[in-house]
Amino acid sequence: MGVHSWKVTDQGMLLTMSFVPDYDDSDGPVRFFDGLYIAGNIDSYLLPAVNDRRNMEAYYVPDAEGEHLSGWTYFLTEPWASSMDIHVRSGETAVLWAYYPVPEDKVDTVEVAVMPGVQDFRDVQINWGDYEPGDYGNAAEVDGDE
């Protein structure tokens, strides 16, 4: 698996990741989440969390009520994360995306914990684009729409 980018947009902080499954696909491609269903509940197994350890903050994919969404799901239930209901062959790349809240503190890097038992991605650079760390709440001023 790999992190493609962390980009701050007008909808939040967009995480794009790729996964390359490795399994016997002699019967053809299978649904991506079927191979991850070892934890009994895929929704709580593949739950990327963004950690700003310096400021003791953690960020998760929100649902419509602002609560934590259970990461990538096997069906699209919310607009904040891509669906895992995709079919891929062994060795093919599956790309998933999710929106997170933008850090309120002035940070340039975060850590991404993707799943239990796998080492975190450390010092992942945030692409702030038109924004600056710590000023995301003032987006209208950045766009010149004061």
Side-chain angles (χ1 to χ4, degrees), residues 33-137:
F33 76 87
D34 287 343
L36 294 171
Y37 201 71
I38 58 175
N41 183 354
I42 186 64
D43 293 350
S44 63
Y45 190 68
L46 188 57
L47 174 58
V50 177
N51 297 301
D52 172 7
R53 295 190 194 278
R54 187 178 73 186
N55 295 299
M56 305 279 290
E57 295 283 341
Y59 301 93
Y60 301 90
V61 177
D63 64 11
E65 288 77 37
E67 302 295 325
H68 295 197
L69 178 66
S70 298
W72 283 298
T73 61
Y74 59 92
F75 58 90
L76 189 57
T77 58
E78 301 290 341
W80 306 110
S82 60
S83 172
M84 287 180 40
D85 192 11
I86 55 177
H87 291 72
V88 293
R89 290 191 167 278
S90 182
E92 288 183 343
T93 302
V95 177
L96 300 174
W97 57 267
Y99 282 99
Y100 289 76
V102 176
E104 296 173 2
D105 298 300
K106 294 184 178 186
V107 296
D108 291 321
T109 62
V110 290
E111 296 180 10
V112 181
V114 180
M115 63 178 54
V118 175
Q119 183 168 339
D120 295 356
F121 288 94
R122 298 192 182 270
D123 298 321
V124 177
Q125 189 75 31
I126 298 172
N127 176 357
W128 285 93
D130 293 335
Y131 303 97
E132 295 287 332
D135 79 349
Y136 185 76

Side-chain angles (χ1 to χ4, degrees), residues 10 130-131 138-146:
D10 59 346
D130 293 335
Y131 303 97
N138 301 320
E141 294 175 19
V142 172
D143 293 337
D145 298 334
E146 301 178 332

